[in-house]
Amino acid sequence: MEGWQVLHRWYIPFIVFAVGAAVSVPWALYFEAHLQPVPAEELGLAYGHAWMPRDSVLAAMTPYLFTLAPFIWLFDGEGRTRWAAFWATLVGVVRIAVPVSLIVMTDVPVLDSGQRYVDWATLRIMVWFAEAEVIALGFLLWASFATLARASKKARPASAVPAYEGA
C-alpha cells in the first residue's frame, strides 16, 4: 500500500469519527465551562441555580460537528469504505441530534427577555451520558463492521469458478 492509499481503507471513517469525538469533547467542555450560569431568582423561576441561555449552550456544542467528517468518505470508490462512512456519519448525526433535542425539549422561556433558558446543572448529566452512549455506539459499530469485513474476506473463495463452467 503506497502513500495516500491508506485513506481508502474501510476503517478510516471510523478512525476519523473517533478522532473527531476525542477532539470535540474537551473542546465543547472548555466552551461549556465558560458559560455564565444565571440563578433562578434572577429569571423569576421556581427552582435551579445554574440556568444557561439555550443558544449559548447550543453554541458550545459546535465542536460536535467534527464527528460528521466521515461524510467525506461517502465519495470513496471502494464499497466497504462507503458503507463504513455511511454508518460513521449516521452515528455522528445521532451524536449531534440527541443532545440538541434534549436541550431544545427542556428549555424554558423567560417572559421578560424572550430568551430561552435550560437548567444546565440538571441537564448536563443527561447530555453527557447520552453523548457517551452514542460514542460507545460508534465504537460498537466499528467492531461489528470489522467482524463483517473479516467474514466477507474469508467467505470469498480463492479460485472462484463461474457456475456455468462447472457443469
Side-chain angles (χ1 to χ4, degrees), residues 16-71:
V16 170
F17 172 80
V19 169
V23 167
S24 64
V25 168
W27 198 5
L29 289 175
Y30 172 78
F31 287 146
E32 290 168 8
H34 287 82
L35 296 175
Q36 297 299 320
V38 179
E41 298 84 35
E42 288 182 24
L43 299 173
L45 298 171
Y47 67 92
H49 63 281
W51 288 87
M52 306 279 191
R54 179 193 67 185
D55 298 338
S56 298
V57 173
L58 291 174
M61 293 183 172
T62 54
Y64 291 1
L65 293 172
F66 281 115
T67 55
L68 295 179
F71 174 78

Side-chain angles (χ1 to χ4, degrees), residues 51-129:
W51 288 87
M52 306 279 191
R54 179 193 67 185
D55 298 338
S56 298
V57 173
L58 291 174
M61 293 183 172
T62 54
Y64 291 1
L65 293 172
F66 281 115
T67 55
L68 295 179
F71 174 78
I72 296 167
W73 278 267
L74 287 173
F75 303 104
D76 193 82
E78 212 265 278
R80 286 186 302 176
T81 305
R82 281 195 308 270
W83 273 110
F86 170 77
W87 289 110
T89 303
L90 185 65
V91 172
V93 168
V94 169
R95 181 174 182 238
I96 294 169
V98 168
V100 167
S101 61
L102 279 172
I103 289 169
V104 170
M105 287 189 297
T106 59
D107 65 357
V108 175
V110 175
L111 298 177
D112 297 340
S113 67
Q115 174 70 31
R116 301 180 80 82
Y117 286 84
V118 293
D119 183 10
W120 190 237
T122 305
L123 189 62
R124 69 177 172 206
I125 304 301
M126 289 187 288
V127 168
W128 292 343
F129 186 70

